Amino acid sequence: MEITLRPYQLSDVDDFMEWANDDQVIRSSRLRHYTSKEDALTYLQEEAIPHPWYRAICLGSRPIGFVSVKPGSDHQRCRGVMSYALGSKYWGQGITTVAVKLAAPFVFEEFPDMQRLQAIADVDNRASERVLEKAGFIKEGVFRKYVIVKGKTIDAAVYSLLSSD
C-alpha cells in the first residue's frame, strides 16, 4: 500500500485513537493516552488541525501515525522541529522513514525561510535514531538530561537536515 501524508480531519478520530492509545507508542513518545473519543476529538480540533504542519501518516487512506514540524518564529524562523509517531503494529517496516523523507521537501517549500529541520530522539530509542539517519538527517550530538518524558529526564540525540543537503 502507498504511504502518504495529509492533514488530519475530525473524521479520523477512530483511527487516531487506535494508534495514539497504543501502549508501546505512549511508552516511547511524549504522547499521552486519550481517555475518550471526545478527548481525542478535542486534541484533533484544538491541537492537530490548527497546527502549522501536522500530518497524518496514512497507509492507503487510513491514518496510522503522524509527522509534524513546529516552525521557529522571528529570529528562529530558519529552523523547525520535527516529531513523529507510528502505531506499533507498523514498526520495522520503514514507514516512518518514508514519511519523514516525504515531509522534509514539503516543509522546506511551505516555509521558505526554514533552512534547518531538527529532531531529537531518546538515546534509548535506537529505532527512532535509525529513522532519522535513513531519512538523511545528520547526528550532531547528545544533549544530556535534556527533556523530561513520562517523569524521567532523558538524554536526547540531536539530528538535523538542512534544506541544502
Side-chain angles (χ1 to χ4, degrees):
M1 278 197 178
E2 185 180 16
I3 300 163
T4 58
L5 304 177
R6 66 164 172 79
Y8 264 97
Q9 303 163 359
L10 293 178
S11 59
D12 293 324
V13 67
D14 292 328
D15 290 326
F16 173 81
M17 285 189 69
E18 182 178 329
W19 72 261
N21 277 329
D22 180 329
D23 286 334
Q24 291 183 63
V25 173
I26 298 298
R27 263 195 307 278
S28 64
S29 72
R30 287 169 276 178
L31 294 172
R32 63 177 181 83
H33 280 283
Y34 296 91
T35 56
S36 67
K37 188 171 184 174
E38 292 73 29
D39 189 28
L41 279 168
T42 298
Y43 174 80
L44 289 174
Q45 188 167 20
E46 295 179 5
E47 302 286 332
I49 293 171
H51 190 283
W53 212 91
Y54 190 108
R55 301 294 186 265
I57 300 171
C58 296
L59 190 58
S61 62
R62 188 166 176 243
I64 60 170
F66 84 93
V67 60
S68 72
V69 174
K70 181 179 180 183
S73 60
D74 196 27
H75 64 280
Q76 295 180 3
R77 69 185 179 277
C78 61
R79 67 182 159 125
V81 178
M82 179 177 277
S83 302
Y84 47 83
L86 187 73
S88 66
K89 69 181 178 182
Y90 302 101
W91 291 357
Q93 299 176 41
I95 293 169
T96 308
T97 300
V98 170
V100 169
K101 284 181 175 181
L102 287 171
F106 284 114
V107 170
F108 286 132
E109 184 176 318
E110 287 185 39
F111 300 97
D113 288 338
M114 191 178 296
Q115 299 170 45
R116 171 189 172 90
L117 275 177
Q118 64 187 43
I120 66 166
D122 182 338
V123 295
D124 293 329
N125 187 345
R126 187 66 188 128
S128 187
E129 288 193 72
R130 288 293 299 141
V131 163
L132 295 166
E133 291 164 357
K134 290 189 287 184
F137 282 64
I138 303 298
K139 186 174 186 175
E140 296 183 332
V142 174
F143 289 162
R144 298 180 312 151
K145 303 298 181 195
Y146 183 68
V147 66
I148 299 171
V149 178
K150 310 291 189 274
K152 178 183 171 194
T153 306
I154 65 163
D155 295 345
V158 180
Y159 287 80
S160 71
L161 178 73
L162 302 181
S163 58
S164 59
D165 286 347

